């Protein structure tokens, strides 16, 4: 079940807030994305200026964004024509307050993203707009050691382990690199990649037999991982130094390597496990509230946002990648081209299985992440028995979910109330 936001009293501030709307604007684009001044200006001048009608692009923090939206829906009328927000923002809404967009003739190239955009209904409640993610990268020297028959754009975890083992044997050094340092994003790998790929869940399946298999496989991979990875936080540094030949990290933390030596490295999708190619997209979408004053103009703007040239302009303005099939121009930085290709292949793969960012945890997000970090440290670094560690950590995770009341997010099955740790 999706969370429905509270509306009581929201209409009282509607009249005041409506005064902020430009009288000349035909479409008010109300967004939680591209908020920095430079990005917002780039959205207006580089992305939206070519749209036929006037667009008033107004980015806001999540609180004001939701308050204004709630007020208009409660009043039954308003001025917001288009909503721009993350998937988590849309999933916190009542789907009935969003217009069905199945008739506008555009959608993302990812069937997985399009299914997410239905918000559990049979209708397109928003249109995927732009994405960011974490990917794999490798020194091209490592390619000669790929296992027979392996496709770098469609690897399995078993093939990744075999590849890392081959490199280890050939060079005499463990060359897989993992961001396990104090500022590394290791928790996102477990939440968005390993668990979805082996358990088709994150919370419900935390201590499942499939989770035991997942951690067993990661232990195998760790045997071929540079032991200094516990100090690695930005894997671009290890690619450039040669301390690691095969790595995982966020696109922004790999950019320097590709920009400095674009011919030396290759970017590619994360591997797949028994339950799909788990990956963690930062997915933003565009939708239309049922109170939009001009449905035709709003739908026209949504269609415009998905045009290939608009998607490229959005990439330049925000550093978020396209969700449609598009050839990236040659004048983009090498890191953008490399990451964009890898993300497109990953999100568009037939076995894509997105593990979304945790939602609804409030100030307990850090505690949630700590469960996965502690599990990693106990199983991988301290060598403790996998089943015992998962059973111990299961109680901590369940307490966090019960305290926050956060419902399940993909790929976990929806829940009534707090997501259970089964």
């Amino acid at each position: 079940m999706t969370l429905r936001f509270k509306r009581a009293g929201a209409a009282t501030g509607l009249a005041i807030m409506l005064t902020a709307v430009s009288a000349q604007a035909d479409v008010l684009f109300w967004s939680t994305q591209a908020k920095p001044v430079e990005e917002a200006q780039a959205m207006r001048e580089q992305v939206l200026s070519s749209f036929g009608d006037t667009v008033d692009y107004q980015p806001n923090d999540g609180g004001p964004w939701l308050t204004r939206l709630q007020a208009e829906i409660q009043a039954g009328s308003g001025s917001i024509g288009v909503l721009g927000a993350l998937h988590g923002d849309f999933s916190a809404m009542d789907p009935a307050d969003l217009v069905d967009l199945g008739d506008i003739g555009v959608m993302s190239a990812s069937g997985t993203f399009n299914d997410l955009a239905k918000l559990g209904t049979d209708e397109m409640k928003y249109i995927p707009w732009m994405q960011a993610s974490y990917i794999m990268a490798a020194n091209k020297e490592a390619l000669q050691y790929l296992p027979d028959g392996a496709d770098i754009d469609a690897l399995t975890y078993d093939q990744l382990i075999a590849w890392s083992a081959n490199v280890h044997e050939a060079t005499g050094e463990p060359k897989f690199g993992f961001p396990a340092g104090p500022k590394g994003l290791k928790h996102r790998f477990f939440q968005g990649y390993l668990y979805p790929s082996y358990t088709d869940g994150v919370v419900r399946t935390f201590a499942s037999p499939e989770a035991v298999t997942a951690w067993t496989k990661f232990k195998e991979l760790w045997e071929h991982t540079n032991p200094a990875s516990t100090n690695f936080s930005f894997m671009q540094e290890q690619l450039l130094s040669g301390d690691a030949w095969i790595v995982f990290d966020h696109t922004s933390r790999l950019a320097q390597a590709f920009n400095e030596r674009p011919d030396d490295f290759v970017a590619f999708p994360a591997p797949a496990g028994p339950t799909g190619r788990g990956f963690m997209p930062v997915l933003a979408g565009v939708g239309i509230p049922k109170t939009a004053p001009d449905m035709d103009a709003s739908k026209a703007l949504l269609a415009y946002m998905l045009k290939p040239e608009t998607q490229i302009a959005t990439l330049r303005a925000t550093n978020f990648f396209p969700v449609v099939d598009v050839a990236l121009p040659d004048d983009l930085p090498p890191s953008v081209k490399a990451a964009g290709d890898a993300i497109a292949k990953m999100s568009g793969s037939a076995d894509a299985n997105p593990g979304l960012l945790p939602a609804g945890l409030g100030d307990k997000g850090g505690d949630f992440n700590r469960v996965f970090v502690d599990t990693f440290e106990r199983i991988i670094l301290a060598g403790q028995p996998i089943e015992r560690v998962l059973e111990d950590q299961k109680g901590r995770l369940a307490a966090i979910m019960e305290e926050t009341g956060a419902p399940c997010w993909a790929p976990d099955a929806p829940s009534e109330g707090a997501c259970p740790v089964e």
Side-chain angles (χ1 to χ4, degrees), residues 242-277:
D243 288 335
W245 279 13
I246 309 168
V247 304
F248 161 88
D249 214 337
H250 191 279
T251 55
S252 65
R253 296 183 174 209
L254 297 169
Q256 183 183 355
F258 284 94
N259 288 336
E260 288 190 14
R261 289 160 44 194
D263 296 332
D264 290 349
F265 306 111
V266 60
F268 53 98
T275 55
R277 193 169 304 278

Side-chain angles (χ1 to χ4, degrees), residues 131-411:
Q131 60 176 322
S133 195
Y134 306 72
I135 58 171
M136 304 288 295
N139 188 313
K140 290 182 179 178
E141 285 288 320
L143 298 181
Q144 60 188 306
Y145 303 112
L146 277 165
D148 291 341
D151 177 356
I152 194 172
D153 290 326
L155 290 176
T156 66
Y157 274 92
D158 284 339
Q159 289 173 329
L160 176 63
I161 293 167
W163 184 18
S164 300
N166 291 345
V167 171
H168 190 174
E169 181 179 2
T171 65
E173 299 177 359
K175 289 283 192 179
F176 185 77
F178 187 70
K183 296 183 179 179
L185 298 171
K186 50 189 174 291
H187 52 289
R188 296 306 190 207
F189 174 82
F190 303 125
Q191 296 163 2
Y193 292 78
L194 189 68
Y195 262 82
S197 296
Y198 278 90
T199 77
D200 200 27
V202 180
V203 176
R204 289 181 182 273
T205 60
F206 177 79
S208 64
E210 293 79 10
V212 174
T213 301
W215 284 106
T216 300
K217 289 296 181 180
F218 191 75
K219 283 189 70 173
E220 293 179 25
L221 181 60
W222 193 258
E223 293 177 7
H224 310 293
T225 298
N226 187 327
S229 287
T230 51
N231 297 316
F232 296 165
S233 294
F234 289 71
M235 297 311 303
Q236 59 196 7
E237 299 167 5
Q238 281 65 50
L239 281 177
L240 288 168
S241 69
D243 288 335
W245 279 13
I246 309 168
V247 304
F248 161 88
D249 214 337
H250 191 279
T251 55
S252 65
R253 296 183 174 209
L254 297 169
Q256 183 183 355
F258 284 94
N259 288 336
E260 288 190 14
R261 289 160 44 194
D263 296 332
D264 290 349
F265 306 111
V266 60
F268 53 98
T275 55
R277 193 169 304 278
F279 74 105
M280 180 172 276
V282 182
L283 177 63
V286 280
I288 301 175
K290 65 181 183 181
T291 50
D294 187 338
M295 287 294 174
D296 290 339
S298 294
K299 290 183 177 181
L301 179 55
L302 259 63
Y304 171 82
M305 297 306 295
L306 271 289
K307 293 174 64 176
E309 57 267 34
T310 311
Q311 290 270 290
I312 294 296
T314 302
L315 168 59
R316 294 185 189 277
T318 66
N319 290 313
F320 268 68
F321 291 92
V323 295
V324 302
D325 288 329
V326 58
L328 298 179
D330 292 334
D331 62 345
L332 290 172
S335 62
V336 173
K337 292 198 67 177
D341 288 341
I343 288 175
K345 291 171 182 174
M346 189 163 59
S347 62
S349 64
D351 56 357
N353 191 14
L356 300 183
L357 285 165
L361 299 175
D363 60 4
K364 292 296 181 180
D367 293 341
F368 180 86
N369 294 338
R370 190 73 234 173
V371 168
F372 289 85
V373 172
D374 287 349
T375 300
F376 159 74
E377 291 179 349
R378 291 179 62 182
I379 292 174
I380 304 301
L381 302 185
Q384 296 178 18
I386 296 174
E387 292 90 342
R388 190 183 78 196
V389 172
L390 293 180
E391 194 61 33
D392 287 348
Q393 297 291 88
K394 178 180 178 179
R396 290 180 56 199
L397 181 59
I400 293 169
M401 303 312 296
E402 288 295 331
E403 182 176 349
T404 62
C408 297
W409 56 86

Side-chain angles (χ1 to χ4, degrees), residues 5 10 21 35 38 46-47 70 76 101 120 124 126 184 218-219 235 259 269 277 312 317 328 340 347 369 390 412:
F5 50 61
V21 182
K35 291 181 294 182
E38 298 83 0
Q46 302 171 25
V47 179
Q70 289 174 332
L101 302 173
M124 290 294 292
Y126 71 83
F218 191 75
K219 283 189 70 173
M235 297 311 303
N259 288 336
R277 193 169 304 278
I312 294 296
L328 298 179
S347 62
N369 294 338
L390 293 180
D412 277 309

